[in-house]
Amino acid sequence: MKTRLDQLTLHNLIELSCGDSSVLLDKDETPTENVKLACAQQIMSEYKELATPTQAKMDMIEAEEQQKLRMKEKCLHICLALISQERSDMAKDVLLELDVNENLLKSEEAIKSRCNAMLDEVKYEIKRLAELAEERGQKKQQTVTEIRKAWFGEIAFVMSTLKMSIDPATTNAAVYGNLVRQAVERNKQMSKIPPMMSMFL
């Protein structure tokens, strides 16, 4: 089974983005749908990191933020459990590790109140991030025709910017990812050059 971007042609990558995971399979392979989905997501992430590293970094930061919020939520649930077992001293230690001002933790009631307030805030942040991700997902939902059109538009942009021909059937997907990044960078540089000078480039 193909598990890396450099094992695919650009054509295969396009088909994969359209939902055809069979391009990952070698002869007679029958992995589960979950395995194919995980592999497809990994390969598409690898492509994004090559072609649009800034966006990939933003996605990673958002994923890390969601993970931190989930961990904080678990810590606060543990604190409330400790308080219910009359171990508010231990709950206080956890809150101090979460950078809560000690002056706000003078009594068991104050510790419990702070835990509940923080838990409400964390739940709100988790919900907000989930709603934003859902909105983006809805905006990104495209038909297969729209996905192909987007790929062809990108390929045309790369060929025009780098003044080269690209055959999806023979171009390595990893090489293409690097070409996209080069084309984007060149386009940025060209936009800074005076119009008369760009005619000679």
Side-chain angles (χ1 to χ4, degrees), residues 169-180:
T170 58
T171 303
N172 183 278
V175 171
Y176 176 74
N178 280 296
L179 291 174
V180 173

Side-chain angles (χ1 to χ4, degrees), residues 38-102:
C39 188
Q41 290 174 338
Q42 172 60 35
I43 287 174
M44 294 309 298
S45 294
E46 190 179 342
Y47 169 74
K48 186 183 287 187
E49 287 173 11
L50 274 177
T52 55
T54 302
Q55 182 60 49
K57 187 175 182 180
M58 288 173 63
D59 291 345
M60 184 179 69
I61 290 171
E62 183 175 308
E64 288 177 352
E65 181 63 21
Q66 289 177 332
Q67 187 175 16
K68 286 178 184 177
L69 287 170
R70 293 289 183 190
M71 291 300 295
K72 191 172 183 179
E73 182 184 28
K74 288 180 181 178
C75 287
L76 292 168
H77 279 300
I78 290 170
C79 286
L80 289 171
L82 288 169
I83 293 168
S84 70
Q85 296 171 9
E86 299 183 354
R87 294 308 308 267
S88 58
D89 55 328
M90 293 178 69
K92 179 180 177 180
D93 290 340
V94 174
L95 292 176
L96 290 173
E97 288 295 322
L98 293 174
D99 292 328
V100 177
N101 189 319
E102 190 169 6

Side-chain angles (χ1 to χ4, degrees), residues 12 14 28 33 38 63 66-67 72 91 111-112 128 155 157 174-175 182 184 201:
N12 287 342
I14 294 171
D28 298 329
E33 287 301 317
Q66 289 177 332
Q67 187 175 16
K72 191 172 183 179
I111 293 170
K112 185 176 181 180
R128 185 181 64 84
I155 293 169
F157 162 74
V175 171
Q182 289 176 29
V184 170
L201 298 175

Side-chain angles (χ1 to χ4, degrees), residues 57-201:
K57 187 175 182 180
M58 288 173 63
D59 291 345
M60 184 179 69
I61 290 171
E62 183 175 308
E64 288 177 352
E65 181 63 21
Q66 289 177 332
Q67 187 175 16
K68 286 178 184 177
L69 287 170
R70 293 289 183 190
M71 291 300 295
K72 191 172 183 179
E73 182 184 28
K74 288 180 181 178
C75 287
L76 292 168
H77 279 300
I78 290 170
C79 286
L80 289 171
L82 288 169
I83 293 168
S84 70
Q85 296 171 9
E86 299 183 354
R87 294 308 308 267
S88 58
D89 55 328
M90 293 178 69
K92 179 180 177 180
D93 290 340
V94 174
L95 292 176
L96 290 173
E97 288 295 322
L98 293 174
D99 292 328
V100 177
N101 189 319
E102 190 169 6
N103 292 328
L104 301 174
L105 308 172
K106 293 296 186 181
S107 66
E108 181 176 311
E109 189 57 36
I111 293 170
K112 185 176 181 180
S113 176
R114 178 53 48 185
C115 281
N116 283 318
M118 291 175 68
L119 188 57
D120 287 343
E121 182 182 350
V122 167
K123 285 181 177 178
Y124 169 77
E125 288 296 324
I126 290 172
K127 183 180 178 183
R128 185 181 64 84
L129 284 177
E131 287 172 349
L132 288 172
E134 185 178 350
E135 285 177 13
R136 282 199 302 273
Q138 289 172 349
K139 289 177 183 177
K140 286 181 180 178
Q141 284 181 354
Q142 297 174 302
T143 65
V144 170
T145 300
E146 289 171 333
I147 293 171
R148 291 187 193 284
K149 185 176 179 181
W151 277 107
F152 296 149
E154 182 182 82
I155 293 169
F157 162 74
V158 174
M159 290 194 298
S160 173
T161 304
L162 299 182
K163 297 178 173 57
M164 63 182 297
S165 178
I166 294 174
D167 178 3
T170 58
T171 303
N172 183 278
V175 171
Y176 176 74
N178 280 296
L179 291 174
V180 173
R181 183 171 57 188
Q182 289 176 29
V184 170
E185 290 301 320
R186 180 168 175 77
N187 195 50
K188 287 179 182 177
Q189 293 169 4
M190 292 291 288
S191 66
K192 298 175 184 178
I193 298 173
M196 291 299 293
M197 288 293 295
S198 63
M199 293 172 58
F200 302 100
L201 298 175

